[in-house]
Amino acid sequence: MKVYLGKDRIRADRDVTASHATVRDLCRRIEGEGHKLYMDNFFSSPDLFDELMTKNITCCGTSRPNRKGLPDDFRRRQFRLRKGDIRVRVRQNMTALVWKDKRDVYMLPNMHSPPAEGSFCDEHGNAIKPAVVADYNKHMGYVDKADRMAKSYGICRRTWKWTNKLFFHLLDLTILNSPIRLKSCGANWTHRDFRLALVRNMLEFAGRGPPRPQRPRGRTPAVRSEPSRIGEITTQHWPTSSSSKLRCRVCSSRGKRRGVRTKCEKFEIGLCVSGCFRDFHTKATFR
């Protein structure tokens, strides 16, 4: 898989198109193994098929008539075909054909024998499909069927960001592949039944976990909620004046010598009003 993130400028400087380079990069892991590759007309081209053929990969796909490397009469669309007509051009092991059904269908295979030219219709006047067209429809139909099945219970929404769409599309494909793999092992799961069982198991597993801590509602209070010596009014920790000069308890603990005439009414100890009184009654180091 390769995610399309825009035109690659490095590939644009080469002799190959971006779609050609994409298919070539995706096929690097299957080179020389004799695989057959089916593709639609967005990717197929004679140059790509020739390159893949040298790596023992045969191809089949629909084609656009204006592709570089096709015969001139294909590119100029000079054919005047009636329903069932077939026109074929062959170059070494590659075949280019156009078949008239409801519209002109251009095919570009190098894994099939070239069909015979002529007009082929059944007794009801319906066009008879060439073998190459029937084979292409069979194998490309798997891709269309997979997309349709994955979107039957799709999670993705159109309004989401593309990164979220990609993630949930891959998740849908993973869920779709799971019952298919199970069915190959003898289980009889439908796509819908597997999704329902998956949801039930996830909910059951989520219920076993530890309870989530409840977040406090509303704005966090500016004052710390921990208890302090000045927390209650009944304790009577109020600053008051002293008849004699006293040494500040907090300043003394910090190595400073300071005389004050204010004290705590409860403890009868000298404390500076500016800061020390608050620190002594709220900080644990002075308790």
Side-chain angles (χ1 to χ4, degrees):
M1 177 178 293
K2 193 167 189 178
V3 182
Y4 178 75
L5 300 175
K7 189 173 182 179
D8 193 339
R9 295 183 178 180
I10 298 177
R11 293 173 181 169
D13 297 335
R14 302 176 183 175
D15 296 332
V16 300
T17 62
S19 59
H20 183 140
T22 300
V23 176
R24 181 179 58 190
D25 293 344
L26 291 173
C27 292
R28 292 192 186 278
R29 299 179 64 180
I30 62 171
E31 293 178 359
E33 299 183 8
H35 283 278
K36 297 180 179 180
L37 185 63
Y38 294 83
M39 65 188 75
D40 60 17
N41 58 20
F42 181 81
F43 298 97
S44 60
S45 68
D47 293 338
L48 173 62
F49 284 20
D50 289 338
E51 181 177 351
L52 294 178
M53 189 67 182
T54 61
K55 301 173 182 178
N56 198 20
I57 301 175
T58 55
C59 304
C60 176
T62 55
S63 177
R64 298 178 181 179
N66 58 351
R67 284 291 190 191
K68 180 180 178 181
L70 287 179
D72 292 338
D73 49 358
F74 275 63
R75 301 181 66 181
R76 297 173 184 173
R77 301 187 182 186
Q78 296 179 346
F79 302 107
R80 297 293 182 267
L81 304 179
R82 290 183 291 182
K83 196 169 186 178
D85 289 353
I86 301 177
R87 297 293 182 269
V88 180
R89 301 292 183 269
V90 180
R91 189 202 67 189
Q92 296 180 354
N93 58 356
M94 185 176 300
T95 303
L97 65 92
V98 55
W99 170 61
K100 179 71 172 183
D101 189 18
K102 294 181 180 179
R103 58 183 179 84
D104 291 347
V105 179
Y106 293 86
M107 299 291 300
L108 192 64
N110 62 3
M111 67 174 73
H112 300 87
S113 300
E117 282 194 351
S119 181
F120 302 94
C121 294
D122 58 16
E123 56 186 7
H124 302 289
N126 299 321
I128 299 176
K129 289 182 182 180
V132 57
V133 176
D135 186 56
Y136 172 83
N137 291 340
K138 175 184 176 182
H139 290 86
M140 288 298 290
Y142 293 130
V143 178
D144 298 334
K145 185 177 181 180
D147 290 341
R148 178 182 59 80
M149 293 178 65
K151 292 179 181 178
S152 298
Y153 309 99
I155 307 171
C156 182
R157 295 295 176 265
R158 293 180 60 184
T159 55
W160 289 356
K161 190 177 179 181
W162 73 268
T163 51
N164 295 339
K165 287 183 180 180
L166 176 62
F167 171 79
F168 284 105
H169 175 67
L170 298 178
L171 180 60
D172 286 334
L173 292 180
T174 304
I175 297 174
L176 173 63
N177 288 333
S178 299
I180 295 176
R181 296 293 300 271
L182 286 173
K183 188 175 292 186
S184 66
C185 299
N188 189 15
W189 285 85
T190 63
H191 185 197
R192 179 178 179 274
D193 292 340
F194 181 83
R195 278 186 176 266
L196 291 175
L198 178 63
V199 171
R200 293 192 190 99
N201 291 340
M202 292 177 66
L203 293 176
E204 182 181 358
F205 178 79
R208 298 175 183 172
R212 299 178 62 182
Q214 294 184 355
R215 298 178 60 184
R217 297 183 178 181
R219 183 179 298 176
T220 305
V223 182
R224 293 187 300 177
S225 59
E226 59 180 316
S228 62
R229 299 184 196 182
I230 204 168
E232 299 180 1
I233 298 177
T234 57
T235 56
Q236 300 298 322
H237 292 278
W238 304 112
T240 184
S241 60
S242 173
S243 58
S244 61
K245 199 170 185 180
L246 303 174
R247 184 177 296 180
C248 177
R249 177 71 63 84
V250 177
C251 291
S252 298
S253 65
R254 294 171 178 171
K256 298 179 181 179
R257 186 181 182 88
R258 178 176 296 176
V260 294
R261 289 187 177 273
T262 56
K263 64 179 179 179
C264 175
E265 185 178 1
K266 181 75 173 180
F267 290 145
E268 293 289 337
I269 58 175
L271 293 169
C272 298
V273 176
S274 59
C276 294
F277 190 91
R278 181 188 58 192
D279 291 346
F280 178 81
H281 290 88
T282 57
K283 293 186 177 180
T285 55
F286 301 109
R287 294 184 183 181

